[in-house]
Structure formats: C-alpha cells, structure tokens
Amino acid sequence: MNTRKLFLVGCIAAFTSLHAQDKDKMKKMPVFFGCEQFSDNTDLKKCFNANIGTAIQHEIDFFSNIADYLHIGDTEAKLKFTISTEGKFINAGVDGINPIFNSFVWSSLVMVQNKMDELKLKIQPGINQKNQPMDIALSIPVKFKSEYSQQVYDQFPVDERVLFTIDFENEIIEIRMDKNNMLRTVGNNGEREFYLGKYSNLFELATVEPYATKINESYQSTYTFITKGKIQDKEYTIRMKNFFSNKPDDEVLIEVIREENNSWAEYFAYKTKEEFNQSKFAKLTYR
C-alpha cells in the first residue's frame, strides 16, 4: 500500500491523562526511561508523552501498510494502561469503534513491553504522598488518518470478502471480513462449505489453532495466499506481498498471477485496494 497516503497521528503529540483518583494521591509522575534528568511533574509528563508516543508509533507504523486492504478509513481509539509499582505496563485496554484498529493499538503496547523486558528497561513507578511506589492509571488517544473516505469502503458490493486463505491438504479455510469488520472462518472440503467461527480481530484469531500456526508461518513468508478463481475459463491466483511484514518501508502489493505450462502467463500488481477494486479480479474475493 502507498504509505504516503496513510499515516498515523496522535501518538507523538498526544498527552497522557491521569485518572482523577491517582492525581490526588500522586506526588511524582512515573519516569519513562530517557526522562531521568527531570524532576518536575510537568517536565516529566512532557517527556513521558514524547517517549511513549515515539515507542508506540514505531510499533504501530506498519498498520498504515495494510489499513487500505482492511478497508479502514479514519478512526481513533483511547489506549488505557497502568504503570505498576514494578515499572511495567499492566491492565492494558483500548476503547474505540474499530475492533481491527483497537487490536493493533493494544498489540503496540505489548510489543513495547516485550522490548523493554529484552533490554531490561523499566519505568520508574509513580510516587505517592508517603514517598512510596504506587500504580498509576493513564490513557492516551491514538488517531489514524486515511486519505481515503470511509464512503469508499462502505460501498463494498457484497456482505463479505476473503482476506486470506489457509490451504490444507484436504480442505481450505477462508478468513472473511464483513462490513462491520468482523472476521468469519469458513471451511471448504471441495464438496461443501461449513462455518467454523467468528472473531473480532486478527489477534484474537491468531491465538486459536490451526490459525495460529498458519499465521505464524505467514509472518515468516513474503507472500500470503488470498484466493483463486476463474475468469473466462482462466484460473488466477491472488496473493498479498508483505501483508504481515512489520517493516513500514516494505511495499505491500496485491498480486494476481496466471500460470501456464509452469510459468507466469499473466501478472498484475496493485498498490492499493482501491486500484484492485477497479480491476476485474476483485469479484474473485467476493462472497
């Protein structure tokens, strides 16, 4: 996808908000690593905002690569968390209208904590009026801005479309998304289709087998199989390139390939879902 058309705002410029009950009890703000030179709460808060914003932004940047494919327009959420007396993020939660975006925001904080653990970094906990460490509950707004109007996505012509497909020996499982951004898994053994489950986001899906193993394999691979189908008796394979890459510089493409005599007879590449939707191949993903 064209990352110049999709970008995140809000993390770096956003301000954490203290819960009222904590503000009354707190003597000193938590100290994010890199802010140790400050002692005044106002300066600590500014530094905390800048550093946590940069950390979250780094982890969530790759969302802009796939937001177009997931039909996500402008959206926002509030990330809530607590800095524990051990200097860790706990009790993380996200309030927002888009479950897919919420899952990415939540996972960004998990990734930040994982990297902190690897580097053995901790946040200095907040201090109460008795000079004792205390849990501090905070929240931060995160906004996603897209160049594409949500109306472009709302004009989707069918109830569901295939996001990607897991191919097993005796059957395939399609991961489909509906107009409300909910995911359904549907199996097909060549004779019939059968409903398997419903999930609110990709991260929930990725905790359930057999999807967990297959999605993990996709993380290790450049290509993700979407679906295949025929147009005028010619069979085409549709796949995503770099869909699961978490590197913002990796270009995400929707590729369409037709093979003939073990070689590529036709090849098409689309940088945005908008481009792909205008092609004759889009209908192959409709259900």
Side-chain angles (χ1 to χ4, degrees):
M1 305 305 163
N2 189 339
T3 55
R4 289 175 297 180
K5 292 185 177 181
L6 296 161
F7 55 95
L8 285 166
V9 298
C11 284
I12 294 178
F15 287 92
T16 49
S17 298
L18 277 167
H19 288 200
Q21 61 269 32
D22 289 344
K23 188 174 183 179
D24 293 336
K25 299 175 183 177
M26 186 190 70
K27 180 179 180 180
K28 184 180 180 181
M29 273 280 295
V31 181
F32 204 83
F33 47 89
C35 302
E36 294 83 2
Q37 69 271 33
F38 300 110
S39 57
D40 180 76
N41 277 339
T42 300
D43 293 333
L44 284 172
K45 185 175 182 179
K46 289 180 180 179
C47 186
F48 188 100
N49 288 332
N51 287 10
I52 187 66
T54 300
I56 292 175
Q57 181 84 32
H58 177 77
E59 298 303 330
I60 206 173
D61 260 349
F62 80 100
F63 178 74
S64 62
N65 279 356
I66 64 174
D68 173 50
Y69 181 69
L70 295 176
H71 279 184
I72 294 175
D74 292 357
T75 189
E76 59 184 84
K78 179 175 285 188
L79 173 61
K80 300 178 180 180
F81 54 89
T82 297
I83 304 297
S84 73
T85 55
E86 286 76 35
K88 292 190 174 186
F89 296 108
I90 62 172
N91 302 330
V94 182
D95 288 336
I97 60 174
N98 190 297
I100 299 292
F101 182 64
N102 293 350
S103 65
F104 276 90
V105 173
W106 178 85
S107 69
S108 69
L109 193 67
V110 174
M111 294 293 289
V112 170
Q113 182 62 65
N114 288 344
K115 288 188 175 180
M116 286 172 54
D117 292 342
E118 290 175 8
L119 297 172
K120 297 182 179 180
L121 295 173
K122 288 187 178 181
I123 300 170
Q124 294 180 23
I127 302 297
N128 64 19
Q129 299 296 333
K130 297 180 180 180
N131 292 320
Q132 297 172 333
M134 65 176 290
D135 291 344
I136 300 291
L138 301 166
S139 62
I140 184 170
V142 186
K143 296 181 180 180
F144 180 78
K145 298 290 290 183
S146 169
E147 183 174 299
Y148 303 115
S149 167
Q150 185 63 42
Q151 291 181 348
V152 173
Y153 303 127
D154 291 341
Q155 293 169 359
F156 190 53
V158 291
D159 290 335
E160 292 183 319
R161 63 189 175 89
V162 180
L163 278 185
F164 55 93
T165 299
I166 298 174
D167 197 352
F168 295 92
E169 288 186 7
N170 300 319
E171 66 182 28
I172 62 170
I173 298 177
E174 291 184 342
I175 288 79
R176 302 177 182 178
M177 177 181 282
D178 66 18
K179 290 185 177 181
N180 296 317
N181 297 308
M182 296 298 294
L183 303 180
R184 286 203 321 144
T185 54
V186 178
N188 189 320
N189 60 10
E191 297 180 357
R192 66 181 183 90
E193 284 190 353
F194 44 94
Y195 169 76
L196 293 171
K198 190 173 184 178
Y199 305 89
S200 63
N201 57 68
L202 287 173
F203 292 96
E204 181 184 352
L205 178 72
T207 64
V208 180
E209 292 293 354
Y211 317 118
T213 298
K214 290 295 184 179
I215 289 175
N216 186 59
E217 290 174 1
S218 292
Y219 271 105
Q220 311 301 321
S221 173
T222 302
Y223 299 102
T224 302
F225 174 49
I226 298 177
T227 190
K228 63 173 58 177
K230 289 186 177 182
I231 296 178
Q232 296 179 343
D233 293 326
K234 295 179 180 179
E235 186 173 73
Y236 295 89
T237 297
I238 305 174
R239 69 184 188 183
M240 289 284 287
K241 182 179 180 181
N242 295 325
F243 180 70
F244 283 109
S245 172
N246 62 355
K247 299 176 182 178
D249 292 335
D250 282 351
E251 186 175 39
V252 179
L253 296 174
I254 303 174
E255 299 182 327
V256 182
I257 301 163
R258 182 175 71 84
E259 292 188 2
E260 192 174 289
N261 298 323
N262 296 320
S263 63
W264 288 6
E266 294 182 72
Y267 173 80
F268 305 86
Y270 303 92
K271 293 184 177 181
T272 70
K273 192 63 164 58
E274 185 179 34
E275 291 178 7
F276 177 75
N277 281 343
Q278 295 172 3
S279 76
K280 64 181 180 180
F281 305 111
K283 64 183 181 182
L284 296 179
T285 67
Y286 297 162
R287 296 293 184 267

